[in-house]
Amino acid sequence: MKFPSEPFKIKVVEPIRRTTRAERERLLREAGYNLFRLPAESVYVDLLTDSGTSAMSDHQWAGMMLGDESYAGSKNYYHFEDTVRSIFGYKHVIPTHQGRMAENLLFSTVVKPGMCVPNNIHFDTTRANVEHQGAQALDVVVKMAYDPHDESPFKGNMDVIRLEETINRVGRDRIPLVLLTITNNSGGGQPVSMENIRNTRALLERYGIPLFFDACRFAENCFFIKEREPGYADRSILEIARELFSYGDGCTMSAKKDGLVNIGGFLNLNHDQWAQDITNMLILVEGFPTYGGLAGRDLEAMARGLREVLDEDYLNFRVGQVRYLGELLDQAGVPIVKPIGGHAVYLNAKEFLPHIPQAEFPAQSLAVSLYREHGIRGVEIGTVMFGTKEAGTGRTLHPELELVRLAIPRRVYTNMQIAYVAESIIDLYRRREGIRGLAMTYEAPMLRHFTARFEELEDRSLARAAS
């Protein structure tokens, strides 16, 4: 079967309300054309993110009833700790309420002003947490990652040659660690190969630099290794994961992705002094080390979700459902990033809307139009999220990729709803000439995409004059 059917049956349903186009137009104006500011109940199919939006299993819900809410040393923590160590393999297990707190604890402990943290491509909160420490967040992904048409199987790979050049240019002492994001979210949900991970590790060992993983979609990355990389077809996902993490020194994890939970994360590492310093900070800002900002029931659900995500029937459906949407769009000529990623389909806004220059935020314009016309919410990954200001001139520097990410929540939508999404986007593509650009009227100094406000342009020359 090309697109496998659901390996689960539905036990509980949640009604979703359809809105009219007039309602959605009003809501967009009130939200300043920022889809983060929309009330969720006004969205028919919500593909804003796959983070914290999964449907938990009956086994996870049953575990919630076993929550031990002791302040220190709850039994759920020890189950969680055993589970994390059995998969990821690192010595110290530090729970947090979500992934960005794990990033904050790590970077505020080991990253100092003037340092540099290379990654394949940093995602938004990772980049912000590095830059908040006064350091440079540097992207060192292979160049093919920026070509939406390139169908190489591992476009998330680190460019090892450029990484070594960076180490020699910046200086080993200014690089506290190197990150690998698996899968590479900002580059289209593309995986990193085991060979590339081994090569990255070998390089860093020569310089004595630790390797950390942003592991929030580790199971999907391992699935692609099994599917695409020679020598892994007969290995289990757990075996692949254990080998992958054996090449690192630690990882941050948002369990709201491949932990299949609605809240939770952790930091897992080997370095004793770092772990001690991080734990001291954890107590100050999150909670005691055996709950880390979470209820015991949340730790139990996370432990069970980390086991469930390794199931190959689940992963086959999960990746297959994303692929189903991508291939429906590709067959209709809609420009998308190829190959299709593990958690999302990425619309290539530059080719979808060639009449809108990047100064007018084509990806944001496309996301706004998709909601207005069909009630579907995606997220911009382009100039709004990753545009920067040139020092001295204040001129906007645009990222190479201008994308709309359609992140599919795990075990939430049926394939009929996915087909509706495809039909809606195809309809919008046929009428794309009528989509207008946007001008930004407010931006925060950091992570501006969450709170920015826009207005639609009647005349595209207005934006060019403003820029």
Side-chain angles (χ1 to χ4, degrees):
M1 185 179 298
K2 187 175 183 183
F3 299 110
S5 60
E6 289 83 349
F8 53 82
K9 59 183 179 181
I10 297 169
K11 186 175 288 187
V12 178
V13 297
E14 175 189 347
I16 38 183
R17 185 176 70 89
R18 288 185 181 270
T19 54
T20 65
R21 189 184 187 284
E23 284 180 276
R24 296 193 294 272
E25 180 67 69
R26 174 181 59 80
L27 288 166
L28 282 169
R29 287 196 303 270
E30 292 173 356
Y33 298 94
N34 186 334
L35 302 182
F36 282 100
R37 298 168 60 90
L38 294 174
E41 65 178 1
S42 72
V43 179
Y44 179 60
V45 178
D46 200 346
L47 308 182
L48 181 75
T49 181
D50 62 321
S51 178
T53 56
S54 300
M56 293 202 303
S57 69
D58 55 352
H59 185 59
Q60 287 175 288
W61 280 109
M64 296 278 279
M65 296 298 102
L66 300 176
D68 173 6
E69 304 308 336
S70 303
Y71 183 86
S74 81
K75 65 182 180 182
N76 308 114
Y77 170 77
Y78 294 112
H79 182 204
F80 164 73
E81 180 185 54
D82 288 344
T83 299
V84 171
R85 281 191 179 141
S86 72
I87 297 170
F88 300 86
Y90 306 121
K91 180 178 178 181
H92 301 284
V93 180
I94 303 171
T96 61
H97 78 275
Q98 62 178 9
R100 73 187 63 179
M101 178 51 73
E103 294 171 346
N104 180 274
L105 288 167
L106 176 64
F107 299 144
S108 64
T109 300
V110 307
V111 177
K112 308 302 179 188
M115 286 185 170
C116 173
V117 178
N119 197 336
N120 44 1
I121 304 183
H122 293 78
F123 199 57
D124 56 354
T125 61
T126 320
R127 182 181 302 279
N129 270 303
V130 171
E131 293 176 347
H132 186 63
Q133 303 305 320
Q136 179 187 18
L138 186 65
D139 297 337
V140 198
V141 73
V142 290
K143 291 182 179 179
M144 66 188 70
Y146 296 109
D147 181 357
H149 302 285
D150 190 305
E151 299 204 42
S152 301
F154 292 103
K155 287 168 64 177
N157 281 353
M158 182 76 78
D159 188 328
V160 180
I161 294 174
R162 286 176 57 216
L163 178 59
E164 184 164 25
E165 291 172 350
T166 298
I167 296 170
N168 291 326
R169 174 175 55 82
V170 172
R172 181 262 170 268
D173 292 340
R174 290 180 56 209
I175 300 178
L177 57 88
V178 169
L179 279 169
L180 264 176
T181 302
I182 53 172
T183 56
N184 186 15
N185 190 2
S186 301
Q190 302 298 318
V192 180
S193 73
M194 194 74 80
E195 179 184 27
N196 184 253
I197 292 168
R198 278 195 298 268
N199 292 341
T200 301
R201 174 65 179 191
L203 169 65
L204 295 180
E205 275 193 325
R206 297 204 305 270
Y207 290 91
I209 299 174
L211 173 62
F212 272 65
F213 296 97
D214 177 342
C216 61
R217 297 179 182 87
F218 78 97
E220 292 168 10
N221 199 100
C222 291
F223 180 85
F224 282 124
I225 289 173
K226 181 180 178 70
E227 183 181 66
R228 298 177 181 176
E229 192 162 359
Y232 288 92
D234 296 327
R235 302 273 297 277
S236 72
I237 298 299
L238 177 58
E239 289 172 332
I240 295 170
R242 284 173 172 167
E243 180 186 344
L244 186 156
F245 292 113
S246 74
Y247 300 121
D249 299 284
C251 68
T252 60
M253 175 74 180
S254 170
K256 295 164 67 175
K257 285 83 167 176
D258 273 356
L260 301 177
V261 289
N262 307 123
I263 198 70
F266 58 86
L267 185 57
N268 194 197
L269 71 163
N270 287 330
H271 196 294
D272 292 337
Q273 188 58 56
W274 285 7
Q276 184 61 65
D277 294 342
I278 288 166
T279 299
N280 292 341
M281 182 60 69
L282 178 86
I283 295 171
L284 178 66
V285 300
E286 279 280 85
F288 194 73
T290 58
Y291 77 86
L294 294 166
R297 56 184 174 269
D298 295 321
L299 290 166
E300 185 64 31
M302 189 160 41
R304 296 183 181 213
L306 288 167
R307 291 288 186 187
E308 290 181 12
V309 79
L310 302 172
D311 179 72
E312 292 182 27
D313 286 339
Y314 157 77
L315 285 167
N316 196 37
F317 171 74
R318 164 63 175 164
V319 174
Q321 188 177 55
V322 176
R323 194 171 289 159
Y324 174 55
L325 172 59
E327 293 197 3
L328 287 175
L329 296 176
D330 188 42
Q331 290 164 7
V334 176
I336 62 172
V337 173
K338 297 179 182 178
I340 298 161
H343 69 288
V345 173
Y346 293 70
L347 304 179
N348 181 0
K350 282 184 180 179
E351 294 185 12
F352 199 114
L353 301 175
H355 60 286
I356 299 180
Q358 278 189 278
E360 297 174 16
F361 309 108
Q364 184 71 16
S365 301
L366 176 54
V368 165
S369 295
L370 184 58
Y371 173 73
R372 174 193 284 125
E373 300 301 327
H374 298 287
I376 299 164
R377 178 162 67 169
V379 68
E380 190 262 14
I381 298 184
T383 298
V384 178
M385 186 178 288
F386 289 125
T388 58
K389 300 291 187 181
E390 185 177 51
T393 69
R395 183 172 61 92
T396 297
L397 302 177
H398 302 289
E400 292 191 53
L401 295 173
E402 192 77 27
L403 309 174
V404 174
R405 186 188 69 180
L406 307 170
I408 299 180
R410 297 161 180 82
R411 304 188 295 204
V412 170
Y413 290 117
T414 67
N415 282 341
M416 185 65 74
Q417 288 166 315
I418 296 300
Y420 167 79
V421 172
E423 291 170 3
S424 300
I425 294 169
I426 292 166
D427 171 71
L428 195 63
Y429 185 59
R430 290 169 180 159
R431 300 186 287 121
R432 61 191 180 276
E433 288 296 329
I435 298 175
R436 293 174 289 172
L438 298 167
M440 188 180 292
T441 60
Y442 167 77
E443 62 176 302
M446 188 172 290
L447 294 171
R448 67 180 185 176
H449 53 289
F450 289 124
T451 56
R453 299 181 70 89
F454 305 86
E455 60 185 13
E456 287 196 300
L457 294 169
E458 294 293 339
D459 184 348
R460 291 198 299 275
S461 64
L462 294 177
R464 284 192 285 273
S467 64

